[in-house]
Amino acid sequence: MTEPNATRRATIRTRLEADPATIAAAIAPDNTSEMATRLESADDESTAIVTRIERETTGSLHSTVDDYVINLDVATDVATVAQHGRTNDTDTNTQ
């Protein structure tokens, strides 16, 4: 049986080739009050985006993590285009 005030937590740590500060700034406005995004330096001098998410139910944690990963993917694509001028997509068919 689950306690009424139990909290589910997830911490997502992401290292990317694109500028992590730009990506963190792009995704942070979508954070709810139960989310916090920060940059974290690693021993190898890389920088990771770290987001901690807390929710009352497993289902809402799952949904929030799913939404976050989609937002992270979009922000990474935009930062990559800004940095390199193109995406990794191979479909260039425009109509």
Side-chain angles (χ1 to χ4, degrees), residues 85-95:
R86 62 188 173 97
T87 65
N88 294 331
D89 293 343
T90 56
D91 183 10
T92 58
N93 184 14
T94 56
Q95 296 179 16

Side-chain angles (χ1 to χ4, degrees), residues 15-93:
R15 290 187 197 175
L16 303 164
E17 289 183 24
D19 179 27
T22 299
I23 295 169
I27 60 174
D30 287 331
N31 286 359
T32 65
S33 61
E34 296 95 359
M35 298 171 70
T37 298
R38 69 180 192 281
L39 296 176
E40 184 178 278
S41 297
D43 291 339
D44 66 356
E45 298 184 19
S46 66
T47 302
I49 301 167
V50 180
T51 299
R52 182 173 172 95
I53 302 168
E54 295 185 1
R55 289 287 187 258
E56 289 185 19
T57 67
T58 302
S60 62
L61 178 63
H62 180 270
S63 295
T64 303
V65 168
D66 186 53
D67 289 345
Y68 172 82
V69 170
I70 291 168
N71 291 343
L72 182 64
D73 188 45
V74 170
T76 301
D77 286 348
V78 171
T80 300
V81 168
Q83 186 176 8
H84 300 290
R86 62 188 173 97
T87 65
N88 294 331
D89 293 343
T90 56
D91 183 10
T92 58
N93 184 14

